[in-house]
Amino acid sequence: MRTALALMMLTSPAFAQQAADAVAPEAATGLSPEVAAPVEAQDWMVAAANPLAAEAGAEVLRAGGSAADAMVAVQTVLGLVEPQSSGLGGGAFLVWYDAETGELTTLDGRETAPAAATPTLFLTEDGETMGFFDAVVGGLSVGTPGTPMLMEEAHRRWGRANWPDLFDAAIGHAEDGFAVSPRLATLVAEDAERLSSDAATADYFLPDGEPIAEGSTLRNPAYAETLRALAERGTDAFYEGEIAEGIVAAVRGAAQPGLLSLGDLAAYEVIERPAVCAPYRGHDVCGMGPPSSGGLTVGQILAMIEPYEIGEMGPDSPEAWRLIGDASRLAFADRGRYMADSDFVPVPNLLDAQYLDLRADLLAGDDALPEVSAGSPPWEHAMLDLPDWGDGWTPSMPSTSHISIVDAEGNALSMTTTIENGFGSRVLAPGGFLLNNELTDFSFSTHEDDRPVANRVEPRKRPRSSMAPTIVMRDDAPVMVVGSPGGSRIIGYVAKTIIAHLDWGMDVQQAVALPHLVNRFGTYDLEAGTAAEALAEPLTEMGYEVNLRDLTSGLHAIAVGETLTGGADPRREGVAIGE
Ligand code: GLY
């Protein structure tokens, strides 16, 4: 057995910063970046957004823990060292492959809207939609956190390790202090004004008024105390009592007070939902269904490009990116109209094969589709009174974190976890963790003309997500575990990585590092400072508006074959560790 750890370089432009031992991959093409060799392992692997978090998971796996056990250790450390992205104050979706039964299960630990919330939550007194950050910062955007209960539920179902032990690493780092990473320091400095809006948040991230510096030691004793309570008493210690009271007081006492109550916390539940699987070139691409749009939208994109020879075209082909880009636009049009919490609104069969064949036919031309709109997918036969939804307005911004784990038994876990925007609502609970702003993932508008929006705010509803934790299956066994942060661009990042691996034969490190080209609503976003820029001209000639920009995904992928192969996104601080 050997231990391998690939520490990837930080932030964009990423590819110039690759490690000195970078090698040109065999399948290198114009677009393919030079990347470090992927991490290889025999028994188990964990890939996550921070080396301390991944190492905490590795320690659990090394000691014989399951992927669910390791996830608890990873998540609790991430909440400390990458607090801007995920944590106890947020929510998550988890896809689990059980090696013993061969079954896939998904768990929905998404935040819920307070019982007191109404569809007009993000409308001004004049009935206009609020500005995005006006809505985000403060208590109004905070939903009931789901991540603590998701950790507990995953451990209850699939854990082998002693629950309290899984908190040791995070408690140790919180008490002893950890070195502030370059990314955290940069993001704090960039967000200093918003972080100043909450006194507790400012005290923690801007001590003496100055942003915490890269490499400085940061301690969080309040977080350590919260973790001890969770370790000793489980999530009852979180959803009621002192920690819950602290959350509600922080939300209600914020400059822009929110509606969260103790009753909302006490009523919170993790929900098991059927995995959403789309067939793709002999594989089943399986992920999270509503309230996430991730599984359906990734599945629609892949289904629409399947009739076309993307593999032969290769990653440098403008034609390949036209097909992927317009398939994505068509899928995003359906997403905007139809996808929302299916416990509140009926969702049509968006993966219906005949329907997607018709949508795929729309891609048959040579140029960008001039116009794209939602289609007419089939509904359940039993539904007589079909809903007529309007399109919503949901300005999700990039943030979030992704954890991929395969354990020594062959169980696989893909979990995307978030507090929504970077630093969430900017409200720090007394328990030492940031609270989410997940409610801004609802549509701010309630209607389009006189048609209601499916993803409007409703009491106890879960906001639509783009998170796409995915397990790709072949012959009923996992071959790839993947996911990413990135707001609604998550969908494009994940689809691209699957295409790069399955169609273009890249290993998972090449696949995650491949420059991004993402089209959601018409404008083609090309990753600035990378070889993707070479596609700007041909895509413009096809009729696209092209925009060069940073596209800071945080993909973590594990390919499962005779060995395990791990890839961590060079655009962030993540690593893959395996033995
Ligand atoms: N808040 C990010 C997402 O759920 O898509």
Side-chain angles (χ1 to χ4, degrees), residues 316-319 321-322 366-368 517 524 526 530-548:
D316 296 326
S317 156
E319 174 65 1
W321 290 106
R322 179 189 70 78
D366 297 318
D367 290 325
L517 296 91
Y524 224 131
L526 272 48
T530 74
E533 290 188 357
L535 287 157
E537 202 178 305
L539 289 172
T540 305
E541 279 167 12
M542 285 174 174
Y544 293 102
E545 185 183 326
V546 168
N547 182 20
L548 303 182

Side-chain angles (χ1 to χ4, degrees), residues 191-274:
D191 201 56
E193 199 179 319
R194 293 192 190 106
L195 293 170
S196 309
S197 62
D198 177 271
T201 308
D203 279 354
Y204 184 62
F205 291 106
L206 308 160
D208 303 320
E210 289 302 314
I212 49 172
E214 176 184 337
S216 62
T217 301
L218 192 60
R219 293 184 179 79
N220 190 339
Y223 185 62
E225 214 173 297
T226 299
L227 294 176
R228 276 194 209 289
L230 274 170
E232 284 162 16
R233 292 188 280 129
T235 56
D236 285 353
F238 185 93
Y239 288 94
E240 53 194 51
E242 205 179 317
I243 298 173
E245 285 160 15
I247 292 171
V248 170
V251 167
R252 298 206 165 214
Q256 177 161 248
L259 302 170
L260 198 69
S261 71
L262 286 173
D264 294 319
L265 283 149
Y268 187 78
E269 283 177 356
V270 165
I271 301 175
E272 177 180 335
R273 300 188 185 276

Side-chain angles (χ1 to χ4, degrees), residues 502-521:
L502 298 187
D503 290 289
W504 297 332
M506 296 184 191
D507 69 43
V508 284
Q509 186 58 55
Q510 294 165 1
V512 302
L514 184 72
H516 292 307
L517 296 91
V518 180
N519 198 330
R520 299 166 297 167
F521 309 114

Side-chain angles (χ1 to χ4, degrees), residues 110 396 399-400 418 420 438 441 464-467 487-488 490:
R110 185 70 163 167
S396 176
S399 62
T400 311
T418 189
E420 214 304 286
E438 219 67 56
D441 272 358
R464 184 185 64 212
S465 171
S466 302
M467 294 195 286
S488 58
I490 289 173

